[in-house]
Amino acid sequence: MTSTHAFWLAGRQATGEDSFDVTNPWDGRLVGTVAVPTDAQVEEAVAAAYAVREEFAATPAHVRAAALDHVVRRLTERTEEIAQLISAENGKPVKWARGEVGRAVSVFRFAAEEARRFNGGDAQRLDTDAGGTGRLGLTRRFPRGPVLGIAPFNFPLNLSAHKVAPAIAVGAPIILKPAPATPISSLILGELLAETDLPAGSWSVLTVPNDRMPALVQDERLPVISFTGSGPVGYAIMESVPRKHCTLELGGNGAAVVLGDWSSEEDLDHAASRIATFSNYQGGQSCISVQRVVADASVYDRLVPKIVAAVEALVTGDPSDAATDVGPLVSEDAALRVESWVDEAVTAGATLLTGGKRDGATYAPTVLTDVPDTATLAREEIFGPVLYVRRTEGEAEAFAAVNDSKYGLQAGVFTHDLQTAFRAHRALEVGGVVIGDVPSYRADQMPYGGAKQSGVGREGVRYAMDDYTYERVLVLTGLAL
């Protein structure tokens, strides 16, 4: 790895007049210096994306698929290097960073497969009425136009992949804006795309600071915005451009429900282990991490100590150590916010069972009970290694507790009963219900997104491809059907 990183402007490397440093949140060391594009360079990238939009949309599927396949091969070859980079700039334990690279490989592979079969056309006879005699409708999908993809810091490679790969698959030019805290992972994607035969201008990776994002958002030449991040920022974007097509993947307040039939010691050990792991992986900085545990009264007293023991067994420390389960948060400011929310809950009457301590950017994995409904961490997304457990009586009360949130991204329900699973699917106001596991499960090919204030639209390769395109019908006349 070099210590200075150029951005990617219309498929070529460039540097601007300014730069900024990326530091490791664990030890503060310099990870790299990143160049910042000037306003003129941003304009050049947008103009190039707009100019190439028709050419790129008409690019043969095999060309786009081959480019995506190339990224699959190169990501696979460079897995360890990229995982170490993600861990350094993000603070993510390297074992989770390796998993993130593997997921990005899958995203590009799925996109290559979808590119080859996308847009086969849907034929519809129109002679169901007399006026349609001899007419056939053929529906295909076409790109809405260039895409602005805005990626977050918590999965800097994989969530960039979820913006870039579907855009290439459908032939939509894309400008990717990575998070300022973790831009180098996205720049690696630029290195790999530059090795392909994609048209110049069809992609850029611009490391612009957040305060310059509104100009990109407002640009009429970028009619599609795909944003992953906080609710206030996401909705501010959508409200500022009401005529644009926006996909927003926003925050969550993930709940894991443990019902009364999940009651054997083996059941509860498994649930406790999954809850502990996926409340704290990525330092809890995942919008589908377990923040709330809703436990039936019949299992609550046995489950809580198992969760505490499983949390206390997690290894917290240096993210570059393969044995580490929980690393630092992305910054000390993030850890200070988590600390303040936990302290507020304890002052209001919550019981701290373990954790509750901060050391710089690291916050100890924390379990609470008796958290008041009015506490901030009960109502908002904490985005840190904290969970709390509440007792409920029966399925209906448990499902009502899950729905008592302005968020609705995913929920996990531990039950063995198939009928209960279908009732949960109907009752829970979320984008995804995971049976027999935590809400943190995500397969990168499935539709992923939320209800209520967790966003609009869906990611997951094929579903993002639908979001980036629109249907256009061709009516053929005078046919012998």
Side-chain angles (χ1 to χ4, degrees), residues 143-207:
R144 297 177 186 273
V147 176
L148 172 61
I150 305 171
F153 71 82
N154 57 330
F155 290 86
L157 179 70
N158 193 42
L159 293 183
S160 292
H162 271 286
K163 314 297 183 191
V164 173
I168 293 172
V170 302
I174 182 164
I175 292 177
L176 177 68
K177 183 212 166 307
T182 56
I184 305 175
S185 306
S186 298
L187 295 174
I188 291 287
L189 284 182
E191 291 183 29
L192 308 186
L193 291 171
E195 299 167 354
T196 71
D197 295 325
L198 294 175
S202 61
W203 59 273
S204 294
V205 184
L206 300 182
T207 49

Side-chain angles (χ1 to χ4, degrees), residues 199-479:
S202 61
W203 59 273
S204 294
V205 184
L206 300 182
T207 49
V208 297
N210 287 342
D211 61 6
R212 290 171 58 195
M213 188 170 69
L216 275 170
V217 168
Q218 294 289 335
D219 198 302
E220 294 182 357
R221 294 167 294 179
L222 303 173
V224 179
I225 297 175
S226 177
F227 171 85
T228 302
S230 73
V233 175
Y235 285 117
I237 287 173
M238 189 167 67
E239 290 165 4
S240 72
V241 285
R243 292 177 177 83
K244 289 195 177 191
H245 185 86
C246 295
T247 298
L248 306 179
E249 198 280 281
L250 307 177
N253 190 337
V257 179
V258 184
L259 293 175
D261 69 310
W262 198 271
S263 58
S264 71
E265 291 302 311
E266 183 180 3
D267 284 343
L268 296 179
D269 285 342
H270 176 70
S273 175
R274 296 293 287 177
I275 288 166
T277 297
F278 289 98
S279 175
N280 295 286
Y281 84 127
Q282 329 287 342
Q285 297 168 123
S286 168
C287 47
I288 47 175
S289 67
V290 181
Q291 183 169 332
R292 299 179 288 158
V293 180
V294 179
D296 190 83
S298 64
V299 299
Y300 179 92
D301 289 335
R302 289 188 295 144
L303 176 64
V304 170
K306 291 178 183 290
I307 291 174
V308 172
V311 167
E312 291 178 342
L314 297 172
V315 177
T316 301
D318 184 346
S320 66
D321 187 335
T324 297
D325 300 305
V326 187
L329 277 71
V330 72
S331 67
E332 185 168 0
D333 284 346
L336 284 165
R337 179 189 53 76
V338 171
E339 180 181 47
S340 70
W341 287 15
V342 172
D343 290 349
E344 175 201 55
V346 171
T347 299
T351 301
L352 179 67
L353 300 183
T354 191
K357 297 178 181 178
R358 182 183 62 83
D359 181 8
T362 299
Y363 195 80
T366 298
V367 181
L368 304 105
T369 57
D370 308 314
V371 173
D373 289 341
T374 55
T376 304
L377 72 83
R379 312 310 302 174
E380 301 294 338
E381 179 183 40
I382 195 163
F383 226 58
V386 177
L387 70 88
Y388 68 94
V389 192
R390 64 173 296 177
R391 183 195 309 260
T392 55
E393 294 278 356
E395 175 189 308
E397 185 177 330
F399 290 172
V402 174
N403 289 339
D404 184 21
S405 172
K406 65 183 179 182
Y407 298 110
L409 194 47
Q410 293 200 158
V413 180
F414 288 90
T415 181
H416 295 290
D417 186 78
L418 185 60
Q419 294 291 346
T420 301
F422 275 88
R423 287 195 297 270
H425 196 205
R426 179 180 296 276
L428 296 179
E429 298 165 351
V430 295
V433 178
V434 184
I435 300 299
D437 206 351
V438 291
S440 316
Y441 175 79
R442 177 184 180 182
D444 290 286
Q445 73 271 37
M446 77 183 196
Y448 177 76
K452 298 190 283 191
Q453 292 187 33
S454 286
V456 294
R458 291 293 180 268
E459 288 191 338
V461 176
R462 182 171 68 81
Y463 303 91
M465 290 167 69
D466 286 345
D467 254 346
Y468 292 172
T469 57
Y470 69 99
E471 291 179 319
R472 186 187 299 167
V473 65
L474 174 69
V475 177
L476 301 175
T477 304
L479 301 179

Side-chain angles (χ1 to χ4, degrees), residues 91-106:
K92 179 177 301 192
V94 70
K95 68 179 182 181
W96 293 114
R98 291 181 182 122
E100 180 175 349
V101 180
R103 289 182 61 188
V105 168
S106 295

